[in-house]
Amino acid sequence: EQEQEQEQEQEMEIEKEQERVPAKFKQQSYDRKEEKPDPWPLASLGKPYNKDVQAFYPLSEFKMKGLTKAVPELKFPPYQLVSKNYYKPSWGFSAYRRLKNVIVVAEWVPDAGGLQEQEVVEGAGLTEAQEVKLRSIFNMMDTDGSGHLTAEEAKQALAAIDLDLKRAGPEELDRIVSSMDRNANGSIEYEEMKRAVGAQTYYSIQDGRWFVLLSLAEAEALRGAMHIARKLPGGLLGSTAGQGDGSAPPAPPGLALRAGRTLLDMTPGLSPAKSYQQEIVRQTLRFFDGDMDYTDKDLSLLLKALQVNPVKERSRFFTDVRACRRREQKEWQGQKISRIFTTEDEFPLLAQRAAAARIAHLMKAKGLHPGDLFMLFDHNGDGSLTPSELYGGIDWLGIKMAPAEVQELFLSADTDYDGTVTLKEFKEVLYNAVGDELTEEDVEGGEASAAAMAALMAGPVAPKPLSATAAEEELSSSRMPEMPISVWNKYEAMLIHPGTKALKEVWTSLGTMSGSRLSVWTLGTASMLSLAGFSLRDTRVSLGHYIVEGHEDPGKDRETTVRAFELRDRSVLPMQKSRFNDAVQRRLLVKPARYHLEFESTKGEKLLYVWSAVPPSPRFVALGHVATNGPEPPPLDWMSCVPVEWCVPVSEPPKLMYEAGRSEKPGSLWRVGNLGLMVGSRSREAPPEGTLYQLSSTKLKLCEVTSNDLLAEQFEMRF
């Protein structure tokens, strides 16, 4: 497993090195006053931590001037500190400061004899939504429906919900399960597991152990002191020992200097922190340093550390702190880090890992290998799994999962976002859940058991249709406020000129060596639309991104072919807010179920990935595609799908705008329809396959183009 992690890290480093354009960063007027380092006494390391004694303060108290206002203080683990020579607290919000890179961290133990395991916080509970996820995991592992888990089932559950526990040996796992079993009956009830997960009793975190972010000058000085201290009887405090007062010399503090996972130096006798605490520190400091590339395990640990903070504060902190570093200032949307800003806590990921772990354990119990199980699930034999085939296989194994949970597992396994799960992706999702329990023979296949042969001889498992995708479930759960027919009769959808400052640039062809000057744009934020004179009663909805010739804002050109889609309630005045717009948008302009990657270009100043949207049902279509600057799919709320009955096939042939170079993956970009939207194709010469649609008119009266059966289906009402 460790070798696989190192390979993943090496791949990420190679991807960074292969960027063809030097990183661009924003120039700010940075203050350089008071940057001279302040010395502090080495003897302070031998005293218990107190921010008035040592030259360190909690990372949670870090504050600085942001791009628009003060950067919000973010809560980090309490054992993480920052040296005042890295960033002085007195600088505060007075001026912009260029932040140093995060390079060296000191693990510091003032008194090894004073180390104590962190106490369990009684009453540290879970939210209602978290309990639902945890109950689902518990039931999944409770194979006999007895209402409790055996010690072995509990170990499987813990390994599934927390990746770091895979590093624990058998003795450590036995200790953890024993500590969870509060009534000592040899099994784990749901309430016992809920307490352990809520209070995180199974982690080994020690009070009295600190991690300090240092400046390079401090790290250099400390390493020199550590070398000199090896020749002194008192270690690091050798200079203060034996002062003639008859007292015994103080015990030397423990100190280790690390750069990432590389140990630079360590004082003799220091027992380093357990891997979980070290990894939490490493991932949170990578976040603080503005890193965007993470493995799934990295993200899981980072989410654990930061989940006490609201997602909006996490994104504001990350964006503003990163802006003061020498970094390419690309947006986090579409990057791997985006999960931290779109997921409240770790629990949505737990059920996926638990389901994959349960599949792997049942597979082994039946004497099957991943390839055998994949062949059984693949009903039509096309070499890939659909959601219904995966659901059928899960049901065949006897695992109880809701359709939405199967959908989540499928989407997490579909790493190339093509709408199917390949054998390679299937193996990866099993290995990521229980990698250390699968031997090479388990993964690659070996001699099948008699039971396995019997299952294979019986033929593929029948698929089980998903009753509803996650997107469809969301549609069925929301309700339309009662709308008078007089209001519905005045609802319109219009295609209008977007206006100046109403669009936001996503990508340009600068640096691509393309013969064409092109750019991709999206609808701006609410604040941008407000500046553009946007009416309160109207709602602009993104139906995809725009591709235009040139690098200028197309909204400045009165002759532009770009059009914005606007939902308008004419029953209210322009400066009044409609109380029905949100419901109409949610029910008739629906979010996609998922995205497929159609085009990518790694040339230019920004990377470009173009995604097609999969509508939640055949009654809706996606008119355009959306673009990101990273390989992660965009959020589902980036665009909407429209009723197919509002549309007609495009009236003019798509216009070729960009063709991938011979050194890139085949692909092309096209402009289509009466909105001037972009679509990506996997072919250099042809637009994407299938029918391309546009709105049937530049002005639609919704009561005239929306059928009664669609209204009944979406609103449970008829007019």
Side-chain angles (χ1 to χ4, degrees):
E1 182 192 355
Q2 189 173 2
E3 291 180 359
Q4 188 185 43
E5 289 175 6
Q6 292 173 347
E7 288 176 3
Q8 288 175 332
E9 289 177 2
Q10 289 171 0
E11 288 173 3
M12 289 194 296
E13 291 299 322
I14 291 171
E15 288 175 5
K16 289 180 183 179
E17 292 172 6
Q18 286 179 340
E19 289 186 1
R20 306 181 185 186
V21 179
K24 297 291 181 74
F25 58 93
K26 287 189 176 181
Q27 296 286 354
Q28 301 284 0
S29 179
Y30 293 106
D31 194 342
R32 302 298 299 271
K33 297 176 182 177
E34 302 178 14
E35 289 195 343
K36 184 179 178 181
D38 297 325
W40 45 267
L42 198 61
S44 66
L45 295 179
K47 300 177 182 178
Y49 171 66
N50 185 315
K51 65 180 180 180
D52 296 325
V53 175
Q54 286 86 13
F56 318 137
Y57 61 96
L59 182 56
S60 297
E61 295 180 9
F62 175 84
K63 55 187 177 183
M64 63 177 291
K65 182 179 175 66
L67 293 177
T68 56
K69 50 186 174 180
V71 175
E73 292 181 8
L74 215 60
K75 294 177 182 177
F76 289 90
Y79 45 81
Q80 290 190 254
L81 308 174
V82 183
S83 167
K84 294 176 183 178
N85 285 319
Y86 178 86
Y87 194 90
K88 300 183 191 305
S90 59
W91 289 342
F93 310 128
S94 58
Y96 290 116
R97 293 276 180 173
R98 169 74 75 195
L99 284 176
K100 303 179 181 75
N101 290 333
V102 172
I103 299 178
V104 180
V105 178
E107 180 182 344
W108 166 50
V109 179
D111 178 13
L115 287 174
Q116 293 183 340
E117 291 295 321
Q118 201 170 77
E119 293 184 5
V120 175
V121 181
E122 294 292 345
L126 305 176
T127 66
E128 185 177 344
Q130 291 170 343
E131 283 202 42
V132 169
K133 290 290 185 184
L134 187 62
R135 172 64 78 174
S136 173
I137 295 167
F138 185 90
N139 293 340
M140 206 179 298
M141 296 299 176
D142 180 16
T143 53
D144 58 2
S146 62
H148 60 79
L149 304 182
T150 65
E152 189 58 35
E153 289 171 340
K155 290 176 186 178
Q156 292 180 13
L158 288 173
I161 67 176
D162 191 279
L163 293 175
D164 190 68
L165 287 179
K166 294 194 293 187
R167 296 177 180 269
E171 292 182 2
E172 177 68 6
L173 280 175
D174 287 340
R175 181 196 67 78
I176 292 169
V177 173
S178 177
S179 69
M180 292 170 60
D181 184 13
R182 303 194 77 190
N183 59 11
N185 66 352
S187 62
I188 306 299
E189 285 79 32
Y190 171 72
E191 289 299 323
E192 291 174 328
M193 172 165 276
K194 185 175 79 170
R195 174 186 177 274
V197 173
Q200 300 188 343
T201 60
Y202 41 81
Y203 293 134
S204 181
I205 295 178
Q206 293 178 314
D207 289 329
R209 189 183 296 273
W210 308 92
F211 294 82
V212 188
L213 175 56
L214 302 172
S215 69
L216 278 178
E218 282 177 312
E220 184 180 9
L222 271 177
R223 193 173 189 188
M226 291 165 70
H227 279 264
I228 295 172
R230 290 193 176 96
K231 301 176 183 179
L232 302 174
L236 271 178
L237 302 186
S239 59
T240 63
Q243 295 180 0
D245 59 1
S247 62
L255 199 66
L257 300 179
R258 291 188 180 86
R261 289 198 180 98
T262 302
L263 179 64
L264 302 177
D265 217 330
M266 185 167 68
T267 56
L270 174 67
S271 295
K274 296 291 179 63
S275 61
Y276 172 78
Q277 195 169 7
Q278 287 192 39
E279 279 300 298
I280 284 287
V281 171
R282 181 170 182 267
Q283 301 309 329
T284 50
L285 288 180
R286 289 181 63 207
F287 174 87
F288 182 66
D289 200 33
D291 204 336
M292 289 191 177
D293 291 311
Y294 296 84
T295 64
D296 286 343
K297 177 180 176 180
D298 296 340
L299 289 171
S300 175
L301 290 169
L302 183 56
L303 200 52
K304 282 182 188 296
L306 299 182
Q307 62 188 357
V308 295
N309 302 284
V311 289
K312 287 185 178 180
E313 290 192 5
R314 295 178 214 164
S315 62
R316 266 195 59 207
F317 181 95
F318 182 82
T319 301
D320 279 358
V321 169
R322 196 175 194 275
C324 291
R325 296 187 184 280
R326 194 178 181 85
R327 300 283 189 277
E328 180 186 2
Q329 298 306 313
K330 56 185 179 183
E331 296 183 353
W332 55 259
Q333 289 88 346
Q335 307 294 329
K336 293 179 180 179
I337 187 69
S338 63
R339 192 183 302 174
I340 302 299
F341 310 128
T342 56
T343 307
E344 289 284 349
D345 53 50
E346 61 178 324
F347 281 81
L349 311 177
L350 301 187
Q352 298 170 23
R353 295 207 296 265
R358 194 76 194 117
I359 291 171
H361 288 126
L362 289 173
M363 175 191 73
K364 290 191 70 175
K366 291 178 179 291
L368 297 168
H369 304 291
D372 302 330
L373 198 64
F374 185 88
M375 194 187 316
L376 283 169
F377 288 8
D378 184 13
H379 182 74
N380 62 7
D382 65 352
S384 61
L385 301 182
T386 64
S388 59
E389 287 175 329
L390 179 63
Y391 196 14
I394 288 171
D395 188 60
W396 177 79
L397 287 172
I399 301 173
K400 301 173 184 177
M401 291 181 68
E405 293 172 335
V406 176
Q407 182 78 0
E408 289 174 359
L409 177 63
F410 181 87
L411 293 175
S412 69
D414 181 19
T415 54
D416 62 359
Y417 315 112
D418 66 349
T420 62
V421 173
T422 64
L423 175 58
K424 180 182 177 183
E425 290 171 331
F426 187 69
K427 287 182 177 180
E428 284 177 353
V429 77
L430 298 183
Y431 185 86
N432 287 337
V434 291
D436 56 342
E437 300 176 34
L438 293 177
T439 65
E440 184 176 349
E441 184 176 290
D442 290 330
V443 175
E444 299 304 327
E447 185 175 349
S449 67
M453 291 299 296
L456 291 169
M457 291 294 291
V461 176
K464 182 176 181 179
L466 285 169
S467 59
T469 65
E472 289 173 315
E473 287 180 353
E474 181 177 342
L475 286 174
S476 63
S477 65
S478 56
R479 290 291 176 264
M480 173 80 171
E482 186 175 350
M483 180 192 295
I485 190 171
S486 58
V487 174
W488 174 242
N489 286 341
K490 292 184 179 180
Y491 253 96
E492 296 176 347
M494 306 180 68
L495 303 189
I496 63 171
H497 189 285
T500 305
K501 299 180 180 179
L503 300 175
K504 183 179 179 183
E505 180 190 287
V506 178
W507 174 87
T508 74
S509 59
L510 286 171
T512 62
M513 295 181 289
S514 168
S516 304
R517 287 169 51 84
L518 301 171
S519 53
V520 176
W521 299 77
T522 182
L523 285 179
T525 61
S527 59
M528 291 175 66
L529 295 177
S530 176
L531 290 172
F534 187 56
S535 171
L536 287 177
R537 74 173 177 189
D538 305 327
T539 299
R540 288 194 180 182
V541 182
S542 174
L543 304 184
H545 287 177
Y546 307 100
I547 185 167
V548 299
E549 295 167 338
H551 299 156
E552 292 294 319
D553 178 358
K556 295 180 179 179
D557 181 6
R558 297 305 304 175
E559 305 301 321
T560 182
T561 57
V562 167
R563 289 293 180 267
F565 177 89
E566 192 167 89
L567 188 66
R568 179 171 295 177
D569 178 3
R570 286 198 176 275
S571 69
V572 296
L573 298 174
M575 297 314 294
Q576 292 180 315
K577 184 173 176 61
S578 169
R579 69 187 185 94
F580 300 106
N581 271 6
D582 289 344
V584 171
Q585 180 181 349
R586 186 169 62 247
R587 305 295 282 175
L588 292 179
L589 300 166
V590 300
K591 292 189 297 186
R594 59 185 179 274
Y595 293 102
H596 289 169
L597 180 62
E598 302 291 352
F599 174 90
E600 62 181 280
S601 173
T602 55
K603 291 182 176 181
E605 295 182 356
K606 287 184 177 180
L607 306 182
L608 178 65
Y609 296 81
V610 176
W611 308 81
S612 64
V614 178
S617 83
R619 303 211 64 160
F620 296 89
V621 293
L623 301 187
H625 294 176
V626 290
T628 64
N629 302 125
E632 291 286 303
L636 294 179
D637 59 6
W638 266 28
M639 67 168 289
S640 295
C641 302
V642 300
V644 67
E645 56 196 39
W646 294 5
C647 304
V648 295
V650 292
S651 56
E652 297 181 5
K655 181 178 180 180
L656 177 62
M657 302 293 287
Y658 181 84
E659 181 180 337
R662 294 298 169 184
S663 62
E664 297 182 286
K665 288 185 179 180
S668 51
L669 299 177
W670 303 74
R671 186 167 65 201
V672 298
N674 50 6
L675 283 91
L677 295 172
M678 170 191 68
V679 294
S681 172
R682 301 183 186 187
S683 166
R684 287 192 174 93
E685 297 83 19
E689 296 179 356
T691 304
L692 296 172
Y693 289 93
Q694 66 180 28
L695 290 170
S696 59
S697 174
T698 58
K699 183 176 180 180
L700 301 173
K701 198 168 183 180
L702 298 193
C703 65
E704 296 176 355
V705 296
T706 310
S707 62
N708 254 340
D709 63 324
L710 181 63
L711 289 173
E713 179 182 300
Q714 297 301 103
F715 295 112
E716 297 184 353
M717 60 190 283
R718 289 179 181 271
F719 289 122

